[in-house]
Each structure stands twice: as structure tokens, then as C-alpha cells.
Amino acid sequence: MSEERHIHPIVRPMEGVAGRTSEWRTARPELFDYNCIKCMQCVLHCPDDCFTINEDGIPVIEQTYCKGCMICASVCPVDTIIEIPTLPGGEIDAIDPKSVAPEPKKKRK
Amino acid sequence: MVSQKELVQLELNSNSIKQGNLACAGCQLNAAFKHSLTAIKNNGIAVVPACCTSVIQGAGDGYGMNVPIMNTAFAAAPAVASGIKRRLLKEGNTDTTVLVWAGDGGTADIGLAALSGAAERNEDIIYIMYNNAGYQNTGNQKSGATPRGTKTTTTTTGKKSRGKNIARMMVAQGVPYVASANSAFATDLYDKITRAVEDFKGGFRYIEIFSPCPPGWDVDTRDTHAMGKLATETGYWPLWEAVDGVVTLSKRGARYNDPAKRKPFQEYTKLQGRYAHIDEQLLILAEEDIEFEWKWIRRFMGEL
């Protein structure tokens, strides 16, 4: 026993204390960016902080930890976040996301 | 007053909660924690008694929030926070906010004596109670703050008595700053906590946050945000703040002072399984409780 496991009495903040939480879900959100109006409602109200913003200013969903609560889909004013059912395990889609993609809307200039 | 887009940017920068913590899907308490800690700029120490948050933080190699957390016994949280703050002040640290983050069971039932004691000593701490109307992490037992007419595992035919309103008790005790907020109104919540941190430093501050619970209330996870909004729109959860015992209504919730402008209470109850199969007479009494609370608010506003 040369290497003893070191147990610290103090722990620090870290990601994924509950593991890969996407395993919990039965459906996942998919954001179709062509209709996005960048209102950021989904980012603001996501209870698990599972959003980042890409260089175009469009929200991106962090699928590793998304628990699939679908609040983002319910607050989206243009309905461009769509619920995709997943197989047990939360990783593999049960249907093809393209088959439920919303119609592109004309953007007001 | 912060705008929604500014708040989003602040939250992305502060990263107050870590992804993949143990909160249930759709838990509004997690959202409330995110908005509150952003307002404190992660410069705080959270004292958490036994409650849902002590589950959410996780147990093991790390924890799911970005501030130091001190776990305490149920009834001890305000006393522990007072001690931490006094020690910080002795070291000359006046910036760090010490907050108690407790549930409604730990506030309305078990921790009430210690809360009232810390308020009386006017300790320099912020006490935040998130109201999910029951002991949700142990399986939805009734707490003092559970509203009338709801089904829990200990009130299977609906709670018969009116719930306690601790925020009102704190106003009556003369706490310098008391506020009622809602996790669904993020900017309003952010402004209230910022105000508590900056303008009322040095005294006791009490903030109560409405936070819908998907498993306990039997609500679809996607509806928990809508539930919070409806609670304010039906008049069930008024948004107000009180400075030295005088209540002013918040901008977002002021119009619901007029019963004619409120949405029907049934819109709020029909989406929740905990109000299903409850005696109609009891639901009528539950609806009357809304106006009962508003009468108290008008009294504290000096209108009655």
C-alpha cells in the first residue's frame, strides 16, 4: 500500500457531483437556431445553468448535464426549442430531430 | 434595475451553480439559487440547514454550488450564521455576505425561534427562505408554510388550516428589510437581493422566495416556471418589499392588488396534482386565503 487514498475534510465546487445527469431524462431539448431571436429566456430560466452562448450570440444547450425538464421549450416565445424523446440513458434520440424541425420563420428586419 | 439580458450575462460570468448537481429536473430552487448567488457576486458564505439544498449540493468529492457552504442542524442556522459574520467582522472583512439558505420547514417550523432571535439581535446576515410548501426532500410531508387545501403525505385529504406567512411575521417584528420574491421573476429577485446586500448592510434582512417543486406538487417539470408566474398573476404570491415595517408593492406584482385584474385561481390549481381530488369547500376556503393575505399587505401599506 504505497499510495494511500487521500480524503480531504474540505471539498470544493465541481461539475457533475451527481454524475452525468442527462441519464435521468426521457426527452431532450433541441434548439433550431434559424428561428432564434436571441431573447435569452431559455438561458435565464434554465434551473441547471446548462446553456452557453456561441460566437453568433445563439444559446447552445450543454447536453451532458441537461436533465430534460423542458422549461426552455416552455418559455421560448418562438417555439424553436423542440422536445426530442430519447431512449433510456438519455443520449440516443428515439426519433430523428430533423423530422420535427419547425418551419423557418421570416425574420423581421 | 437590471434588465433580463444584463442578468443573463452576469449569470454566465458568475457561474453560481455547477452543472450536474443533484436537483430534480425542473427544480425552481436551483434557479432561485442561481439568481441569488449572482446578486451576491459569489462573495458569500451560505449556511444551509437540513433541507433540499443540502441534498442538491451533493456528498462526495465536490459540491454543486460556487460558494462555501456550512451545513448545520435544523434549528441552528441563524445562530451559526451570526457567529460566522461576527468572526469575519473581527478580521476586518466587511465585504463577504453571510446568508442562511433554508427551506420552509427549517424556517416556519423548526428554525423559527432561532430566526426570531437573530432578527431581534439585528445580526448582519441575510436570511433567505425558499418556499416549496413542504418537507420535499424527505417525501412531501406537511410543513407550517404548506397552503390550505393541498395534499401531502401527511394531509392526504388536503390541509385544513391556513399556512403560516413568515415574511409577514418578520415585518411585524420590525426587521429593517423584508421582501417577498418569486423564482419565476428573475430580475425582480435579483434586484431585491442586490438591494438587501448593498443598501441594508449591517442589519438583519429577510427574503422569501416562491419556488415550485415538481415531484412534491405533482407538476410537470416543464410547467414549474409557469407555476411561479401564475402564482403571482392569480394573486396567490404577492411581490412586495418592506422597509422598516412599511410595505411597498413591487413593480411586477402591483397590479394584482386589484382582484379584478387577477387570473382565476383555478388556472393555478388545475395544473397541480396536489390540488386534485380535494373537497370543493376546502378549495373555496383556499381561494379566500388569497384576499386574507392581501388585506394584511394593505394594512402594512397603511391603506387600511
Side-chain angles (χ1 to χ4, degrees), chain A residues 5 11-19 21 24 37-53 62 65 67-71 73-75 83, chain B residues 4-5 7-8 11-12 15-28 30-31 34-35 56-58 60-66 184 186 221-222 224-225:
Chain A
R5 190 169 170 232
V11 291
R12 301 203 177 277
M14 69 176 234
E15 266 180 20
V17 283
T21 45
W24 300 0
I37 55 168
K38 303 176 192 172
C39 67
M40 302 294 159
Q41 289 294 313
C42 49
V43 188
L44 183 64
H45 295 302
C46 176
D48 287 283
D49 215 4
C50 281
F51 278 90
T52 51
I53 294 180
E62 174 68 74
Y65 293 116
K67 295 168 184 163
C69 69
M70 294 296 164
I71 287 177
S74 76
V75 298
E83 181 173 349
Chain B
Q4 286 199 342
K5 290 210 168 159
L7 182 54
V8 167
E11 287 184 351
L12 287 169
N15 194 12
S16 299
I17 52 165
K18 295 290 183 187
Q19 294 166 351
N21 62 19
L22 276 126
C24 305
C27 176
Q28 287 295 300
N30 219 14
K34 178 172 91 165
H35 305 317
I56 290 170
Q57 70 186 46
D61 296 335
Y63 59 94
M65 288 89 170
N66 221 348
T221 55
R222 66 155 67 220
T224 47
H225 171 75

Side-chain angles (χ1 to χ4, degrees), chain B residues 47 74-83 100 111 114-116 118 121 123 125 127 204:
Chain B
V47 179
F74 248 131
V80 171
S82 311
V100 180
L115 166 67
S116 184
R121 297 192 304 274
E123 297 284 352
I125 58 174
Y127 194 104
F204 191 81

Side-chain angles (χ1 to χ4, degrees), chain B residues 269-286:
Chain B
T269 55
K270 75 181 177 194
L271 287 170
Q272 298 177 36
R274 61 175 185 161
Y275 280 110
H277 313 295
I278 298 292
D279 184 40
E280 271 182 31
Q281 292 299 319
L282 196 56
L283 285 181
I284 290 168
L285 286 176

Side-chain angles (χ1 to χ4, degrees), chain B residues 106-124:
Chain B
T107 307
D109 298 342
I110 307 171
L112 189 58
L115 166 67
S116 184
E120 183 266 323
R121 297 192 304 274
N122 202 18
E123 297 284 352
D124 183 6

Side-chain angles (χ1 to χ4, degrees), chain A residues 85-100:
Chain A
T86 54
L87 298 176
E91 286 271 284
I92 305 156
D93 296 341
I95 58 165
D96 182 14
K98 280 177 191 154
S99 67
V100 290

